[in-house]
Amino acid sequence: MILTKTKKAAPSQEIITVKGSMLETAMAQMDIACDQLGINDGTRAILRQAERELTVSVPVRLDDGSIEVFKGYRVQHSSARGPCKGGIRFHLATDIDEVRALALLMTLKCAVVNLPLGGAKGGVKVDPRDLSDGELERMTRRYAAMILPLLGGKRDIPAPDMNTGEQTMAWLMDTISMLTGDIVPEVTTGKPISLGGSQGRAEATGRGVAIATGEILNRLGRDTKDATVAIQGFGNVGQHAARILSNEFGCNIVAISDVSGASYNAEGLNVREAIEYVSRHPDNLLEGYGDHAEVEKITNDDLLTIEVDVLIPAAIEDQITLQNAERIQAQVIVEGANGPTTFEADKILTANGIHIVPDILANSGGVIVSYFEWVQDLQSFFWEADEVNQQLNRKMANAFNEVWEVSKIGEISLREAAYRLGVERVAHAVTIRGIFP
Amino acid sequence: MTDTMTKTTLEMKNIELSKSPVDDLAQIILRDAIEMARKKINPIYWGREITSLIRDRIFFDYLRHGIARGVAEGLAANDKAVIGVFSYETSDNPYNESGDEYSPDLTVHLLVLVKKPTEGLKALIASLDRAITAQMVALSSPKYAQIESTLDISLITQDEVKRRSGLAALLSSVHAPPMKVWPIAG
């Protein structure tokens, strides 16, 4: 047998994908909210359309001297409530439809947590790992220059998303500063601390998830102390949420998981030990963790369906589905990941009386601290980590309580309430500002 | 090719001599991945030893990508049931607006879209994983001294993609879509 590698494509095989159940859910929720709020057709039409869409060509001279041209996008869905805010991604699957949809979701997300910001998204259709480090920098800078007319600290503030990070934001900020002649750290967020980034950014989403968990338990009359919690996904969000829930809220983390499997102890896991184990593991995984008597190895599916007070899906989309929704025993689900619950599963869980803190609220800690970074950059006055955490706590708690009240008054789920609140705020801003001219 | 690039080949020759066609393939995949990663980073770092380079985030990301692409090409070339190969990350919530964290996750996570899963393909994947892991351990980097596996590969079908079943649902993801590594356009 001779084994080979090939770069050739298989002949005429069409790869079929079904785009975005999460997006369908968001659109459906927005329509429901518009109906319930009696939003008129004109305002509804404005909400359904992006304000601005820019498609650009991004030519890059490659290291071998040749030129490649990439397609880039920036979509501003709404600036009704403030400057647009949203990430930039580098991905082969990026297209205008995807960017448009994600921009809409950013508008709603910022509105739900009452940030004075609108929604935007951007991206370049590229696999960044196909470019050298130098090529990637040139591409990023050219893309920044091409979308420059839309950007600005009081217009549109990008942030990292898939395959972009601190370095990308630093290049973006530097390019815009060079082209405008002003040093403008407020034009992006997600920057390194040394360039005006914020303290508390790394743990922001996990902390937000923990705060949302504490709030809903309080509202349900449950003491957070000793509430049992299972966390699916033990990466950045899962680890910080577990640590904060355990240390600051007194919760009992009984199950955690990642791609290598799940660990369970009905009496509670030692979170600090688990985090230390993962940091030492060559793949940063829980694989092999708890190979001693008191920790039971279970499957990821088991983790979702064990009897706990709180289940936190903090991994990837579509984890709670028609296949397992009926078996879920948690009293509360706090969505740390984006879209972990399918539309169909959501109906089953709600019918079964399970409270779901929706992703648009539960994992908004990241965008809230992004907002704090922008505020600090505008003031050139930077906060200590404690202050960032205090402000995040206040912002998340307020947002949760507002969603909770809408839910109670309208006798609707927290997800419906979050969308209703978000849509109402944007629609109100659109209406009160009026149509120019 | 520069002297530095040649050095990569010399380093690879120090790895245990191949014993089987799968070992050969693994060696080619790793050699190509290292060479590709070296070419992608800033030329001033080309002269560094592989054990030093591997600690660099940028090199490391390129290396993982090179392995993913090599494995994808290897599987596609040797099993006609393979329709497409996608790499994905297991990191949570990439949409968290907080910038990416350095995840030194060596494991290469792939979704292999097949007409039908076969025992032959599963066996090839298992063998390739063992062979690549052995090559990585042989790089003598403390980082890889204890690894037992390098590849996390799931076989998925078109039907599962349509039904959004299990990991196949990721292909429909809006927030964190996997990256196609084979076939490559053009």
Side-chain angles (χ1 to χ4, degrees):
Chain A
M1 179 172 62
I2 298 171
L3 295 177
T4 56
K5 292 204 299 173
T6 181
K7 292 183 188 300
K8 289 178 188 167
S12 63
Q13 284 289 343
E14 188 187 0
I15 296 170
I16 301 164
T17 60
V18 188
K19 266 287 178 187
S21 62
M22 188 269 325
L23 178 62
E24 290 162 15
T25 303
M27 292 299 282
Q29 293 290 353
M30 191 174 86
D31 283 339
I32 291 167
C34 285
D35 290 341
Q36 290 171 341
L37 291 163
I39 289 174
N40 65 51
D41 289 347
T43 304
R44 194 184 293 226
I46 290 173
L47 295 180
R48 282 189 153 274
Q49 306 278 337
E51 278 180 12
R52 271 190 202 89
E53 298 181 354
L54 181 59
T55 300
V56 295
S57 292
V58 185
V60 180
R61 190 174 295 284
L62 303 182
D63 293 342
D64 64 5
S66 65
I67 293 170
E68 190 156 350
V69 183
F70 301 95
K71 194 66 88 182
Y73 310 93
R74 185 69 183 173
V75 172
Q76 297 174 338
H77 173 260
S78 174
S79 60
R81 287 175 47 83
C84 298
K85 186 88 191 76
I88 285 173
R89 57 174 49 189
F90 294 160
H91 199 289
L92 279 174
T94 295
D95 59 27
I96 189 69
D97 289 333
E98 180 191 80
V99 174
R100 200 178 274 154
L102 291 166
L104 160 68
L105 287 169
M106 277 306 294
T107 298
L108 296 177
K109 190 165 199 161
C110 291
V112 169
V113 292
N114 208 10
L115 302 180
L117 296 168
K121 206 76 184 183
V124 178
K125 190 177 183 63
V126 62
D127 185 342
R129 296 162 308 181
D130 284 340
L131 301 180
S132 72
D133 204 27
E135 290 165 344
L136 188 60
E137 178 177 351
R138 294 195 290 278
M139 190 205 72
T140 304
R141 289 182 181 279
R142 180 61 187 244
Y143 170 67
M146 297 303 288
I147 63 168
L148 177 66
L150 300 192
L151 302 184
K154 293 185 178 171
R155 292 182 182 181
D156 184 349
I157 308 124
D161 195 84
M162 282 201 83
N163 302 317
T164 58
E166 283 189 346
Q167 179 61 74
T168 321
M169 294 304 112
W171 287 332
L172 220 68
M173 173 269 195
D174 181 69
T175 303
I176 296 161
S177 296
M178 291 301 102
L179 289 172
T180 60
D182 297 324
I183 307 305
V184 283
E186 71 274 14
V187 79
T188 67
T189 61
K191 300 179 297 296
I193 299 264
S194 57
L195 291 182
S198 179
Q199 300 284 347
R201 186 162 60 86
E203 67 176 60
T205 306
R207 180 169 288 280
V209 168
I211 296 165
T213 305
E215 290 297 323
I216 191 163
L217 286 173
N218 284 339
R219 284 291 188 160
L220 294 174
R222 289 289 315 273
D223 193 346
T224 56
K225 193 164 164 27
D226 296 328
T228 53
V229 179
I231 301 177
Q232 186 208 33
F234 208 59
N236 182 29
V237 176
Q239 283 185 34
H240 285 301
R243 179 179 56 79
I244 293 162
L245 281 170
S246 174
N247 294 349
E248 298 178 27
F249 289 80
C251 292
N252 193 10
I253 314 298
V254 296
I256 51 178
S257 74
D258 62 20
V259 286
S260 68
S263 302
Y264 172 69
N265 182 352
E267 302 303 314
L269 296 163
N270 183 330
V271 173
R272 193 183 68 180
E273 182 188 271
I275 292 172
E276 282 173 4
Y277 181 88
V278 167
S279 70
R280 286 197 308 269
H281 188 279
D283 285 343
N284 267 21
L285 292 175
L286 285 163
E287 185 181 32
Y289 170 67
D291 284 342
H292 42 78
E294 63 268 29
V295 177
E296 186 185 340
K297 299 306 287 184
I298 59 174
T299 66
N300 261 306
D301 193 52
D302 291 338
L303 178 135
L304 294 173
T305 55
I306 56 174
E307 191 175 345
V308 284
D309 297 315
V310 181
L311 170 63
I312 300 178
I316 51 182
E317 290 170 46
D318 291 345
Q319 295 300 293
I320 302 172
T321 65
L322 275 177
Q323 276 72 48
N324 55 20
E326 282 288 4
R327 291 181 284 122
I328 286 178
Q329 300 183 70
Q331 188 186 2
V332 170
I333 295 174
V334 182
E335 295 184 333
N338 283 302
T341 311
T342 64
F343 190 61
E344 300 84 2
D346 185 82
K347 286 183 189 166
I348 294 170
L349 298 170
T350 304
N352 288 346
I354 296 171
H355 298 271
I356 306 169
V357 184
D359 51 4
I360 196 168
L361 170 64
N363 67 31
S364 58
V367 73
I368 293 174
V369 172
S370 222
Y371 161 63
F372 294 162
E373 180 177 335
W374 175 67
V375 168
Q376 292 170 77
D377 287 335
L378 284 171
Q379 299 180 336
S380 286
F381 183 77
F382 294 90
W383 310 345
E384 300 297 325
D386 281 352
E387 176 151 17
V388 173
N389 292 341
Q390 272 178 26
Q391 295 285 357
L392 175 59
N393 190 66
R394 185 181 58 81
K395 201 79 189 161
M396 278 296 299
N398 285 347
F400 179 86
N401 288 319
E402 285 168 340
V403 171
W404 179 269
E405 291 306 319
V406 172
S407 163
K408 288 296 123 189
I409 291 166
E411 296 181 340
I412 54 179
S413 70
L414 289 170
R415 192 186 308 279
E416 286 176 298
Y419 277 95
R420 186 187 288 191
L421 189 61
V423 169
E424 186 175 22
R425 282 177 171 154
V426 181
H428 176 72
V430 167
T431 305
I432 202 101
R433 283 180 65 163
I435 307 290
F436 175 84
Chain B
M1 184 179 286
T2 66
D3 288 342
T4 312
M5 299 307 292
T6 309
K7 189 163 172 280
T8 303
T9 312
L10 293 174
E11 282 173 359
M12 293 306 298
K13 282 179 182 170
N14 291 331
I15 292 172
E16 189 180 352
L17 292 174
S18 61
K19 295 169 184 160
S20 71
V22 174
D23 290 327
D24 283 340
L25 179 59
Q27 188 162 337
I28 292 167
I29 288 170
L30 195 55
R31 182 198 63 202
D32 289 354
I34 290 173
E35 288 198 6
M36 185 275 281
R38 264 195 207 274
K39 286 176 186 169
K40 298 290 188 188
I41 60 174
N42 191 319
I44 63 172
Y45 301 125
W46 283 2
R48 284 191 187 173
E49 294 294 323
I50 187 76
T51 47
S52 164
L53 283 172
I54 267 173
R55 288 196 291 272
D56 177 79
R57 179 208 168 122
I58 295 170
F59 179 87
F60 184 75
D61 283 348
Y62 283 128
L63 178 67
R64 280 181 82 226
H65 178 54
I67 293 171
R69 185 152 284 173
V71 168
E73 291 167 359
L75 296 179
N78 293 287
D79 195 315
K80 300 303 172 205
V82 175
I83 300 170
V85 182
F86 302 80
S87 69
Y88 68 101
E89 297 301 328
T90 56
S91 62
D92 39 29
N93 201 6
Y95 190 48
N96 65 13
E97 289 258 327
S98 62
D100 55 355
E101 294 282 293
Y102 176 31
S103 167
D105 178 4
L106 168 66
T107 305
V108 175
H109 306 283
L110 295 176
L111 297 174
V112 179
L113 183 62
V114 292
K115 291 173 197 163
K116 188 181 171 186
T118 64
E119 290 308 313
L121 185 56
K122 288 177 188 170
L124 174 59
I125 289 167
S127 303
L128 202 50
D129 183 26
R130 281 193 296 272
I132 290 177
T133 303
Q135 304 269 357
M136 293 299 289
V137 170
L139 287 176
S140 302
S141 163
K143 187 178 180 72
Y144 302 124
Q146 296 173 332
I147 60 167
E148 294 174 358
S149 176
T150 312
L151 306 179
D152 168 31
I153 298 182
S154 302
L155 301 183
I156 57 172
T157 64
Q158 290 277 33
D159 183 51
E160 288 171 324
V161 174
K162 281 184 209 163
R163 288 188 288 109
R164 291 181 183 147
S165 170
L167 282 171
L170 275 178
L171 260 61
S172 307
S173 171
V174 174
H175 280 297
M179 191 79 82
K180 196 196 309 185
V181 289
W182 188 90
I184 306 161

